[in-house]
Amino acid sequence: MTEPKMSPSAASEVGRDAAALALRGVLGPMLFAHGWNKVAGPGGLKGTAGWFESLGLHPAAVHARMAAGTEMAAGAGLVLGVANPLPAAAAVGLMAVAARTDHRGKGFFVFKGGWEYTGVVAGAAVALAMLGHGRFSLDNWLGRRSDGPAQALAAVALGGTAAAGLLKACYRPSKEDIAGAWDTGVGNAEIEASVLGDDLFDH
């Protein structure tokens, strides 16, 4: 007896669900780990605040808590697959701020402190917003699945607007910090490592 074959549309849906699950399984834990490291890493919130102070984000203690909380919330949201496109928008906003502050003037490659990492994470988050969280998600369980170009555009718009507003209101780098970032291609990397730990992979 011949087994019924899966229709092309059903196979496509399975592929989308698998892709969404894979992206969530990578981005979610990574974002949560970065947020947790800001709180419980070698330097704790005090070290994170010192790093943010060196970047020119004021008040640094507030931004340390905001960044850590947003990363953990976005990471948990992606793992659970809930409230698309808000977790993706949070990731876009976080990466936009990081690119403008910590990675400014350092070129593209991440091993030189460039924006490669932030660009990849933001792009993957936007792609996930377009895919939706898939079948294996709280969004699906709650009957609130959403996907498509509108969700991707919403992630970009919400994240970009939030980042732009935060930078305009709170980003006050010193001239020395800006010159150091452009001249050396390293900028605050050594400060970041010293206040948060030498084994840090955070951005």
Side-chain angles (χ1 to χ4, degrees), residues 117-201:
Y117 163 83
T118 58
V120 168
V121 173
V126 173
L128 180 56
M130 181 174 287
L131 277 174
H133 289 156
R135 183 187 310 175
F136 310 106
S137 66
L138 275 181
D139 277 348
N140 183 58
W141 186 71
L142 295 170
R144 298 176 181 173
R145 284 182 66 173
S146 58
D147 55 39
Q151 304 305 315
L153 289 173
V156 173
L158 289 171
T161 300
L166 183 148
L167 289 167
K168 185 171 181 60
C170 305
Y171 184 42
R172 300 290 184 272
S174 66
K175 293 181 179 179
E176 290 77 10
D177 287 337
I178 295 174
W182 283 90
D183 291 344
T184 67
V186 176
N188 292 291
E190 293 181 359
I191 298 173
E192 179 182 350
S194 68
V195 297
L196 293 180
D198 291 336
D199 59 343
L200 181 73
F201 60 88

Side-chain angles (χ1 to χ4, degrees), residues 18-173:
L21 186 62
L23 278 172
R24 286 168 45 212
V26 172
L27 288 178
M30 181 273 294
L31 284 171
F32 188 91
H34 280 246
W36 181 255
N37 190 66
K38 287 179 173 64
V39 175
L45 278 172
K46 183 177 180 181
T48 303
W51 169 37
F52 279 20
E53 182 79 26
S54 75
L55 294 176
L57 288 168
H58 305 284
V62 172
H63 286 287
R65 288 164 172 79
M66 284 177 55
T70 303
E71 284 179 323
M72 287 190 284
L78 290 177
V79 169
L80 296 172
V82 66
N84 188 48
L86 295 183
V92 169
L94 287 162
M95 295 304 108
V97 172
R100 177 62 175 167
T101 58
D102 194 25
H103 302 272
R104 181 180 182 180
K106 303 172 189 175
F108 171 73
F109 294 107
V110 68
F111 58 83
K112 294 184 177 180
W115 59 271
E116 177 183 10
Y117 163 83
T118 58
V120 168
V121 173
V126 173
L128 180 56
M130 181 174 287
L131 277 174
H133 289 156
R135 183 187 310 175
F136 310 106
S137 66
L138 275 181
D139 277 348
N140 183 58
W141 186 71
L142 295 170
R144 298 176 181 173
R145 284 182 66 173
S146 58
D147 55 39
Q151 304 305 315
L153 289 173
V156 173
L158 289 171
T161 300
L166 183 148
L167 289 167
K168 185 171 181 60
C170 305
Y171 184 42
R172 300 290 184 272

